[in-house]
Amino acid sequence: MKSGFRIRSGSLPGLALRANAAIVMIGCCLASLPLAAEEADYPDAFDVCTSCHSYHENEPLLVGPPLWGVVGRPVASVAGYQYSQALKSVGGTWDLARLGQFLAKPEAFAPGTKMDMGGIPDAKDRDEVLEFLRTLAPGKAAAHSDDG
């Protein structure tokens, strides 16, 4: 038995169905595209950092100073960022060892720091963040996680 209802190519229901199908197809295609070259696939442990810090070259200041080029940069040295006196008094340069100490427990490293994050207590997570931070510099290849 044939139905008397037929969706014509120019009818509103037919157009709506094709538009929905096109939207779904485009969404699937976009979701499967790889990250842009400038978008580094950072480790999960770095998520906590992205809420306050930018990490691409020439990005604006956020709540915290940018992390681009932090390894090898003098402590408390980003122009325009208002560092705590605690961090200003630390002096020296951010190397991986110092960053590791700071990330483990910021308040213990620099009592009075404005960074109110409690730290990254897990050594493996901290090492992944440090390795990623090391890549945030001119001429370095961005780190990519293997878990997708």
Side-chain angles (χ1 to χ4, degrees), residues 128-139:
E128 288 176 358
V129 169
L130 291 169
E131 180 58 27
F132 180 71
L133 290 175
R134 191 181 61 74
T135 70
L136 300 180

Side-chain angles (χ1 to χ4, degrees), residues 73-76 85-95 98 109-110:
R73 180 169 72 206
V75 175
Q85 191 55 46
L87 208 52
K88 288 180 189 178
S89 67
V90 168
T93 301
W94 287 120
D95 60 19
R98 290 182 102 195
F109 181 85

Side-chain angles (χ1 to χ4, degrees), residues 43-125:
D44 289 343
F46 190 73
D47 275 339
V48 70
C49 307
T50 63
S51 61
C52 296
H53 299 274
S54 62
Y55 61 96
H56 292 293
E57 187 172 13
N58 300 318
E59 282 188 320
L61 296 173
L62 299 178
V63 173
L67 297 177
W68 176 262
V70 67
V71 177
R73 180 169 72 206
V75 175
S77 64
V78 172
Y81 184 76
Q82 298 299 312
Y83 290 93
S84 64
Q85 191 55 46
L87 208 52
K88 288 180 189 178
S89 67
V90 168
T93 301
W94 287 120
D95 60 19
L96 292 176
R98 290 182 102 195
L99 282 165
Q101 292 172 343
F102 185 63
L103 291 175
K105 196 159 186 148
E107 185 64 31
F109 181 85
T113 182
K114 290 181 2 181
M115 188 155 120
D116 61 3
M117 189 260 294
I120 303 173
D122 184 81
K124 182 180 179 285
D125 288 345

